[in-house]
């Protein structure tokens, strides 16, 4: 891969992460009026519609492939968000942010075990450790409050594990299917696997809330951009850089959220938060290094 393509892949991953970091702010607005399941189903439906408009084409169903799409919709959409949202009701937001941020580490371990071309390297591990410390600094942002809730923390870990499994499956199938049709399938099964929880919850939608333009913009941002387009373009760096390097950018999500929270919600940024941001950037750069430092040292 030439330098221009590689740069483009890194840039795409960064832009996607910036959007995903912004979705936490939009979700905060939405959750004042809707339940997590309602927000999820609306964003998945909007994502499916926009992908259908981009490519209004249906392919013949190959039943042996449907379980794969179902598992991707379950792990990459419904289970990921359900576990995360539920964890937020049972343990602190700091705990959830830290634990969910462990997904790049889980992805690297799974890739090392189940793939041939993404083995752990010294710089990968070093970058992950540095970035993870940076995430902790950004999440706490000067307020060290860490309270353990076994069930809530376990749900947060389940969310991280769900994304790791989704990433591994994505790597296996990304070159076998049309990108748009693949993500549309993922969103379809995201809807299917979220619907039962919505029905069990049984709470009516308060669509009158959309008289507030801020909520209209928020749900369109979450559905069209956050779920539809970003899941789509995320596949570009995954196919070029692999799941380990691409997902290292996930460490930047708390940093993006911190900046936006300071801008839109007037939350304070401390020196610790700034230091965390520097460590995150440094960790991602080290992780993304194409050289295996261990091999370089041995060769000497």
């Amino acid at each position: 891969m030439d330098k221009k393509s590689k740069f483009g892949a890194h840039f795409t991953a960064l832009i996607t992460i910036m959007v995903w970091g912004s979705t936490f702010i939009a979700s905060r607005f939405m959750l004042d009026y809707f339940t997590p399941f309602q927000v999820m189903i609306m964003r998945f439906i909007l994502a499916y519609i926009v992908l259908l408009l981009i490519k209004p084409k249906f392919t013949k169903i190959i039943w042996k492939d449907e379980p794969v799409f179902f598992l991707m919709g379950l792990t990459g959409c419904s289970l990921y968000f359900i576990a995360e949202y539920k964890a937020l009701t049972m343990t602190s937001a700091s705990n959830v942010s830290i634990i969910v941020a462990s997904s790049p580490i889980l992805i690297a371990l799974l890739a090392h075990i189940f793939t041939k071309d993404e083995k752990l390297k010294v710089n990968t591990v070093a970058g992950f450790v540095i970035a993870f410390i940076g995430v902790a600094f950004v999440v706490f942002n000067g307020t060290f409050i860490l309270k353990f809730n076994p069930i809530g923390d376990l749900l947060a870990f389940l969310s991280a594990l769900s994304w790791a499994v989704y990433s591994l499956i994505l790597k296996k199938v990304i070159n076998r299917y049309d990108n748009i049709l693949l993500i549309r399938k993922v969103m379809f099964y995201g809807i299917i696997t979220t619907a039962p929880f919505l029905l069990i919850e049984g709470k009516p939608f308060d669509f009158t809330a959309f008289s507030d333009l801020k909520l209209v913009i928020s749900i369109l941002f979450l559905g069209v951009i956050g779920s539809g387009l970003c899941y789509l373009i995320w596949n570009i760096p995954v196919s070029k850089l692999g799941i380990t390097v691409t997902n290292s950018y996930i460490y930047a999500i708390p940093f993006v959220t911190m900046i936006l929270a300071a801008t839109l919600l007037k939350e304070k940024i401390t020196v610790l938060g700034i230091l965390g941001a520097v460590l995150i950037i440094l960790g991602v750069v080290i992780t993304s290094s194409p050289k295996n430092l261990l091999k370089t040292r041995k060769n000497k």
Side-chain angles (χ1 to χ4, degrees):
M1 179 171 53
D2 58 52
K3 289 185 177 180
K4 186 175 180 180
S5 297
K6 192 172 183 179
F7 174 80
H10 281 288
F11 183 74
T12 302
L14 180 61
I15 292 298
T16 306
I17 287 303
M18 289 177 66
V19 173
W20 280 344
S22 308
T23 59
F24 287 93
I25 306 299
S27 294
R28 185 178 297 185
F29 293 147
M30 292 296 299
L31 291 172
D32 287 337
Y33 298 89
F34 299 95
T35 70
F37 296 135
Q38 290 173 337
V39 174
M40 287 167 58
I41 203 80
M42 285 189 288
R43 68 184 290 179
F44 296 156
I45 289 174
L46 282 172
Y48 184 85
I49 291 172
V50 74
L51 292 171
L52 185 62
L53 291 174
I54 293 174
K55 194 162 190 173
K57 176 184 178 182
F58 291 90
T59 57
K60 183 180 179 181
I61 294 177
I62 302 175
W63 291 107
K64 68 180 179 66
D65 292 338
E66 292 303 305
V68 176
F69 301 140
F70 174 85
L71 191 57
M72 292 181 73
L74 178 66
T75 56
C77 291
S78 57
L79 186 58
Y80 171 78
F81 285 109
I82 289 170
E84 183 179 282
Y85 282 142
K86 189 63 178 176
L88 285 169
T89 67
M90 302 181 72
T91 189
S92 70
S94 297
N95 285 35
V96 175
S97 298
I98 290 291
I99 296 170
V100 170
S102 69
S103 62
I105 299 173
L106 296 174
I107 290 167
L109 290 174
L110 290 178
H112 180 77
I113 296 170
F114 294 105
T115 70
K116 296 180 179 180
D117 59 336
E118 295 198 42
K119 300 300 181 182
L120 283 173
K121 300 182 291 185
V122 170
N123 50 298
T124 302
V125 177
F128 280 173
V129 171
I130 293 170
F132 192 75
I133 294 172
V135 167
F137 285 177
V138 168
V139 168
F140 290 117
N141 197 22
T143 305
F144 285 91
I145 301 175
L146 188 60
K147 296 181 179 179
F148 294 100
N149 180 301
I151 298 178
D153 294 341
L154 185 61
L155 284 169
F157 179 77
L158 177 61
S159 179
L161 182 61
S162 294
W163 185 258
V165 172
Y166 169 80
S167 299
L168 187 65
I169 300 171
L170 179 61
K171 178 178 176 62
K172 298 288 186 181
V173 304
I174 195 169
N175 295 317
R176 290 168 48 193
Y177 305 101
D178 177 85
N179 196 16
I180 297 175
L181 297 179
L182 173 62
I183 298 302
R184 205 173 74 197
K185 279 284 189 180
V186 170
M187 292 301 151
F188 172 77
Y189 282 112
I191 296 168
I192 296 300
T193 52
T194 301
F197 294 95
L198 188 68
L199 293 173
I200 292 171
E201 183 180 57
K203 291 186 178 181
F205 284 81
D206 181 17
F207 289 113
T208 59
F210 285 117
S211 59
D212 185 344
L213 181 60
K214 180 173 68 176
L215 291 182
V216 175
I217 294 173
S218 294
I219 193 58
L220 288 175
F221 180 72
L222 288 171
V224 175
I225 300 177
S227 290
L229 298 181
C230 280
Y231 271 71
L232 191 64
I233 66 173
W234 183 250
N235 288 2
I236 297 173
V238 166
S239 64
K240 294 179 181 293
L241 305 175
I243 55 176
T244 300
V245 171
T246 301
N247 279 279
S248 69
Y249 279 91
I250 286 177
Y251 287 126
I253 288 180
F255 167 58
V256 174
T257 305
M258 180 184 71
I259 297 297
L260 290 173
T263 305
L264 301 176
L265 304 177
K266 307 305 179 183
E267 295 184 3
K268 293 182 179 179
I269 297 178
T270 65
V271 174
L272 195 65
I274 296 173
L275 176 60
V278 173
L279 290 175
I280 288 171
I281 294 170
L282 178 61
V284 172
V285 170
I286 293 174
T287 301
S288 302
S289 172
K291 296 181 180 179
N292 188 332
L293 301 181
L294 181 61
K295 285 185 177 180
T296 302
R297 187 175 179 180
K298 282 183 177 180
N299 290 337
K300 290 181 179 180

